[in-house]
Amino acid sequence: MATLDLSAIELKDPDVYVDGVPHASFRALREHDPVHWHPEADGPGFWAITKHADVVAISKDPKRFSSAARFIYYEEIDEESMAIRRSMIETDPPEHTRLRRIVSPLFTPKMVEDYRGHARAVADRLLDQAVARGSFDWVHDICEMMPIRIFVDVFGAPESDADRLARLANMLVAVDDPDLAPPPEMYAAARARGFEPHHLPFSSPAALELFDYAQALCDARRAEPRDDLITRLVEAEWEGDRLTDNELVNFCQLLVFAGNETTRNSLATGMHRFIEQPDQLDLLDRDRALMKGAVEEVLRWATPIYAFRRTATEDVELRGKEIKAGDKLMLYYISANFDEEVFPDPERFDVTRDAAAQVVFGGGGPHYCLGAFLARMQVETLFTAVLDRGLRFAVDGPTARLRSNFGNGFKTLPVRVVAGR
Ligand code: HEM
């Protein structure tokens, strides 16, 4: 490969990701400049962290690398916006420890097992409906529908709200994609209520609608408790401590974004890969014992979130680079998951490889994804349902990827059934 001009590498522009993950750029950075200073046209610049070991070490060191100081994505936001937007993912210990203790009993592997039957029923129903048509959009008809339906069930929201929540989740994170971004009237409505979009999560007015939605649901469950996650959240306590109203709605908003787009993108990229490499699906079919490992490899390959940010709280030296207090560091999970030091021949998709070290859910440490078991269960459930039906697909038209520097995935993947019962 001709040497890439490292100073010309661009990782923030959403256009860079439209045609695929820029693996060549990440490969070059891992090899030549793993702690790389990346200037920004509209910001102070940041350190691009591309090695697996560094992503893990920084994730596990919240004291020196804060999630709260300037938040967890590229944008620089003021104190006022931070106060409105803060959910647990943008807190540091000990505040984070307090929030995490209250909510983590609701996401244990045992709880997730309770949802498996429902997840399988959802997968079966969606596959039956779509396959009967012969050709359909894997993203729209399966991936967009499945996580949100499981989510509303877990959450305790009416199933009839699933489509609306899926649309809002799209509008929340896809503000850079003209096909999915919120309509102008939603921006106007937020301004009319005194909210500038940059005050809201992802600078999206859809967040306001999600806050309202969550508030109404929390109020309803407070008045009339049920056996669902919202009721448990409203009632959850740790040593007499409960979530405040603001913490509750921010947490619900976090769940909608964290739990849906991400899972959906892993289901879409996973199927795309299996279509490209049908031998891998056949292998899995012949030996279902490979399934747990295959889920890790699908997730590694899909890496639905490209990166999250940390902010240095003190001067630190890393691989000879002098990081100053206040500097922004972007932890590129997408690069760490293709680090040849951890995953030999990383650009080969192989369901038999040991991909357990993937950092799809973060590099460990206090913020490690709360929904990791739920996400894994959904990936396993969908691909098991596909195999149980002997289904095989072919791409049936132009595919399109998200225009986003945050979410790695497809917005359309037209498929045709080529085998199945
Ligand atoms: C494949 C799907 C998913 C991916 C790729 C993913 C990825 C991530 C990542 C990278 C983090 C941040 C880790 C860090 O900052 O160190 C995170 C945190 C989080 N995720 Fe997920 N996630 C997924 C599914 C879910 C699901 C299904 C839920 C819940 C229903 C969920 C809820 C959360 C929450 C609440 C946090 C914040 C945890 C904290 O701050 O302590 N995620 N996730």
Side-chain angles (χ1 to χ4, degrees):
M1 185 187 77
T3 323
L4 262 168
D5 173 4
L6 298 184
S7 67
I9 285 180
E10 171 57 53
L11 299 175
K12 187 178 168 191
D13 181 350
D15 281 334
V16 165
Y17 299 91
V18 170
D19 294 327
V21 174
H23 280 302
S25 300
F26 287 120
R27 203 184 309 124
L29 289 177
R30 283 194 302 273
E31 189 177 346
H32 300 293
D33 196 19
V35 178
H36 170 77
W37 181 251
H38 187 305
E40 271 175 308
D42 56 351
F46 57 89
W47 297 100
I49 308 296
T50 50
K51 290 290 286 178
H52 186 279
D54 296 338
V55 167
V56 169
I58 293 170
S59 300
K60 291 184 172 168
D61 189 354
K63 205 160 168 289
R64 292 195 298 170
F65 301 103
S66 164
S67 296
R70 307 289 336 149
F71 271 28
I72 46 120
Y73 217 51
Y74 289 103
E75 54 183 328
E76 301 305 320
I77 42 183
D78 55 48
E79 297 291 334
E80 190 192 354
S81 309
M82 286 206 282
I84 300 171
R85 291 167 62 154
R86 197 179 299 282
S87 65
M88 75 189 286
I89 204 167
E90 296 109 353
T91 58
D92 289 330
E95 193 189 346
H96 174 264
T97 320
R98 171 190 159 252
L99 293 171
R100 183 98 185 187
R101 275 185 185 147
I102 296 177
V103 298
S104 52
L106 309 180
F107 293 89
T108 58
K110 156 89 186 56
M111 299 293 269
V112 168
E113 279 314 304
D114 291 348
Y115 305 129
R116 192 182 282 272
H118 177 69
R120 178 62 195 241
V122 170
D124 284 341
R125 186 169 40 141
L126 292 172
L127 284 171
D128 283 347
Q129 286 165 356
V131 165
R133 298 207 305 277
S135 51
F136 60 94
D137 186 349
W138 180 260
V139 171
H140 178 69
D141 295 316
I142 306 291
C143 307
E144 248 179 62
M145 300 294 156
M146 184 167 157
I148 198 75
R149 275 173 177 68
I150 293 159
F151 180 79
V152 290
D153 181 58
V154 173
F155 213 49
E159 181 158 5
S160 52
D161 288 351
D163 291 336
R164 176 173 168 223
L165 283 171
R167 256 196 326 278
L168 287 174
N170 264 343
M171 289 184 211
L172 191 65
V173 294
V175 279
D176 288 327
D177 192 311
D179 292 337
L180 304 171
E185 42 297 2
M186 204 182 245
Y187 282 93
R191 287 201 174 94
R193 286 175 57 183
F195 286 94
E196 278 308 311
H198 72 268
H199 279 153
L200 296 166
F202 296 93
S203 298
S204 171
L208 203 54
E209 227 177 292
L210 281 167
F211 284 159
D212 291 346
Y213 182 87
Q215 185 67 62
L217 211 53
C218 290
D219 291 345
R221 292 303 180 273
R222 236 186 232 119
E224 217 176 297
R226 290 195 196 162
D227 180 20
D228 60 26
L229 182 77
I230 287 284
T231 305
R232 276 176 247 158
L233 273 179
V234 168
E235 292 178 348
E237 61 171 68
W238 179 265
E239 295 173 355
D241 187 16
R242 290 190 170 195
L243 297 178
T244 64
D245 262 12
N246 192 39
E247 285 166 349
L248 269 172
V249 295
N250 271 308
F251 184 66
C252 294
Q253 177 275 129
L254 170 65
L255 286 181
V256 171
F257 115 72
N260 286 291
E261 291 290 314
T262 49
T263 311
R264 164 211 303 195
N265 287 339
S266 58
L267 302 175
T269 306
M271 179 47 84
H272 182 253
R273 192 46 15 207
F274 282 129
I275 292 174
E276 297 277 300
Q277 279 179 249
D279 61 303
Q280 293 294 302
L281 202 54
D282 294 341
L283 194 60
L284 207 49
D285 205 4
R286 284 197 301 276
D287 185 0
R288 297 290 185 96
L290 293 173
M291 183 54 93
K292 293 269 182 233
V295 168
E296 300 306 306
E297 177 67 345
V298 164
L299 288 165
R300 179 188 78 90
W301 192 268
T303 312
I305 295 178
Y306 289 123
F308 269 150
R309 166 201 187 148
R310 296 294 190 266
T311 304
T313 56
E314 56 185 74
D315 295 354
V316 187
E317 197 192 303
L318 190 60
R319 294 192 191 257
K321 299 292 175 78
E322 294 196 357
I323 295 169
K324 297 274 171 234
D327 279 359
K328 164 167 32 175
L329 298 93
M330 295 303 297
L331 312 185
Y332 284 99
Y333 306 129
I334 185 66
S335 177
N337 278 337
F338 287 78
D339 186 338
E340 33 294 281
E341 254 188 82
V342 181
F343 306 102
D345 195 5
E347 287 172 51
R348 182 171 50 86
F349 176 74
D350 177 358
V351 293
T352 66
R353 86 156 69 231
D354 179 1
Q358 49 79 3
V359 289
V360 163
F361 300 113
H367 290 282
Y368 184 78
C369 176
L370 194 62
F373 295 116
L374 190 57
R376 286 189 172 101
M377 181 274 279
Q378 294 188 53
V379 175
E380 182 180 346
T381 300
L382 180 62
F383 289 110
T384 302
V386 165
L387 290 178
D388 288 350
R389 288 170 156 67
L391 284 167
R392 296 294 183 274
F393 300 97
V395 175
D396 192 34
T399 63
R401 284 175 45 82
L402 289 169
R403 180 182 182 274
S404 169
N405 59 15
F406 173 74
N408 179 16
F410 288 84
K411 55 184 173 183
T412 166
L413 174 57
V415 296
R416 173 168 46 85
V417 180
V418 291
R421 326 180 252 285

